[in-house]
Amino acid sequence: MADINIGGLPDGPAQSTTASKPQSHEPIWDLIELLFFAYRDFVSDPDDVLAKFGFGRAHHRVMHFVNRHPGIKVADLLDVLKITKQSLGRVLKQLVDEGYVTQKEGENDRRQRLLYVTPKGEQLAMKLAGLQTERIARALGELGPGAHEAARRFLVAMIDADGRDSVQRLIARADRARRPRT
Amino acid sequence: MADINIGGLPDGPAQSTTASKPQSHEPIWDLIELLFFAYRDFVSDPDDVLAKFGFGRAHHRVMHFVNRHPGIKVADLLDVLKITKQSLGRVLKQLVDEGYVTQKEGENDRRQRLLYVTPKGEQLAMKLAGLQTERIARALGELGPGAHEAARRFLVAMIDADGRDSVQRLIARADRARRPRT
DNA sequence: CGAAATATGTCAACATGGCTGACATAAATA
DNA sequence: TATTTATGTCAGCCATGTTGACATATTTCG
């Protein structure tokens, strides 16, 4: 343990022991700031790689979700990213033009453009996911065995109540889609 | 087993039980995606308020750190935010011009511009922190009593190893600065 | 003291990635 | 057939990041 423990205090400033009361007491400074720092570093690893490809974070997000959810509809991707179709269109066009993503007509509904990564696209997506996994694995490795589950539960609880179900379904569905063996 | 997963199953797809092995096996999809979703929603609450003031996320970050670390030097703020002085200068100027932040000459070193929030600035900063605290408190409230500590440890571990110490010192220092009573 | 380093500010130009609004096309559906 | 839906696209704007060059005070060092 030693000096891990941000403030040096074993139980936070006032919230830890009163976590059940949601009144607007003192801000939960430590988690507010830690979320900022953790996320800042979390996205920084891929950024360096992406720069070499002439891509940015927007491309990363698209690549990630297309790779992870093969055959995703444009509309669903928009919903996940919560951006406009114009913003998506810009980066998606580049990814398609440069051969990282392909589009396929929907079988039932031929208006739909289902999105898939190409082998080249998958390679990049997996590379980026690998970087982020390294960081997460290192972090989890420093903590106890329950850390993965604890982190997952915390992050899920942080998501908007209404979007939470669809996010969980999305992730669950992807697990089935990407790993048919088991 | 059902297909809602995330918060449900005690041992995930493959990572939960092998969390201690840091080899680059299968990406840790769930945490990668959950970090994205959680952070996306985490910053969305303040965004709405900021929009009414004509401010954006960049202003929020500056307001936050100046409020939380009164008298912070410009150089230190740059270091924390990891942006260029030109980017900072733009938003900082607006915040100063509109009376949310003030600058004071350093006592020892008169080249320094130490940054403070005005009462008006503090009000806004606390409002924003309150929104984020609501979300965090709600999340922690849904989880067990150890959740705050677990989240803190996970987030700290996610930070770059080299920056981690300075972040922890920063947070610890701020706790002392902002709450001299105790 | 004078030179060099430091802390900050500023101008100009550019890139990325959000946004709105308007409009076009093809396919599904009522 | 008329309408709705899924998608694409053009045009322009805004926020916020970048680099590079340069200016000004002030401190520090030789």
Side-chain angles (χ1 to χ4, degrees), chain B:
Chain B
M1 41 177 77
D3 67 354
I4 324 228
N5 229 348
I6 288 298
L9 59 176
D11 49 358
Q15 293 80 228
S16 317
T17 50
T18 58
S20 49
K21 301 175 196 164
Q23 8 78 291
S24 48
H25 228 42
E26 174 82 355
I28 304 178
W29 295 118
D30 60 345
L31 295 190
I32 290 177
E33 299 202 337
L34 287 173
L35 273 163
F36 168 76
F37 289 116
Y39 195 79
R40 182 194 65 180
D41 290 349
F42 175 64
V43 294
S44 76
D45 304 316
D47 278 358
D48 301 335
V49 174
L50 288 157
K52 295 182 204 152
F53 288 76
F55 292 147
R57 270 181 216 180
H59 302 87
H60 182 193
R61 292 195 278 262
V62 172
M63 289 290 302
H64 171 90
F65 283 106
V66 173
N67 174 53
R68 178 112 161 96
H69 308 280
I72 189 173
K73 285 185 297 178
V74 169
D76 288 345
L77 189 51
L78 287 175
D79 208 56
V80 162
L81 298 176
K82 293 219 179 125
I83 58 175
T84 58
K85 65 177 170 178
Q86 295 89 332
S87 294
L88 173 61
R90 188 157 37 196
V91 296
L92 184 55
K93 193 171 188 311
Q94 297 175 46
L95 290 171
V96 170
D97 287 351
E98 302 184 29
Y100 291 86
V101 171
T102 55
Q103 300 174 294
K104 223 179 72 180
E105 247 181 17
E107 296 192 351
N108 300 330
D109 188 335
R110 286 171 48 219
R111 291 169 302 180
Q112 298 174 346
R113 299 299 144 89
L114 309 185
L115 304 174
Y116 298 86
V117 287
T118 63
K120 183 175 160 191
E122 179 173 22
Q123 200 184 346
L124 176 55
M126 294 304 281
K127 164 99 182 176
L128 298 173
L131 287 177
Q132 298 190 308
T133 295
E134 273 179 42
R135 179 179 293 270
I136 296 174
R138 178 183 56 63
L140 294 179
E142 294 174 15
L143 308 174
H148 189 141
E149 183 63 19
R152 171 163 41 200
R153 287 163 61 90
F154 171 68
L155 293 173
V156 168
M158 286 289 291
I159 297 172
D160 274 349
D162 44 319
R164 211 179 295 177
D165 279 5
S166 63
V167 165
Q168 295 188 243
R169 265 184 276 109
L170 188 79
I171 294 177
R173 180 149 33 85
D175 282 338
R176 289 202 306 279
R178 288 192 53 88
R179 20 185 38 253
R181 72 261 193 233
T182 288

Side-chain angles (χ1 to χ4, degrees), chain A residues 6-105:
Chain A
I6 289 299
L9 19 164
D11 49 359
Q15 296 76 227
S16 317
T17 49
T18 59
S20 48
K21 303 176 195 164
Q23 10 78 289
S24 46
H25 229 41
E26 175 82 355
I28 304 177
W29 295 118
D30 61 345
L31 294 190
I32 290 177
E33 298 202 336
L34 287 173
L35 274 163
F36 168 75
F37 290 116
Y39 195 79
R40 181 194 66 180
D41 290 350
F42 175 65
V43 294
S44 76
D45 305 315
D47 278 358
D48 302 334
V49 174
L50 288 158
K52 295 183 205 151
F53 288 77
F55 291 147
R57 272 183 214 180
H59 302 87
H60 182 193
R61 291 195 279 262
V62 172
M63 289 290 300
H64 170 89
F65 283 106
V66 173
N67 174 54
R68 177 108 161 101
H69 307 280
I72 190 174
K73 285 184 296 177
V74 169
D76 287 346
L77 189 51
L78 288 175
D79 208 56
V80 162
L81 299 176
K82 292 216 179 130
I83 59 175
T84 59
K85 65 177 171 178
Q86 294 90 332
S87 295
L88 173 60
R90 189 158 37 198
V91 296
L92 183 55
K93 193 173 188 312
Q94 296 175 38
L95 291 171
V96 170
D97 287 352
E98 301 185 30
Y100 291 87
V101 170
T102 55
Q103 300 174 293
K104 222 179 72 179
E105 246 181 18

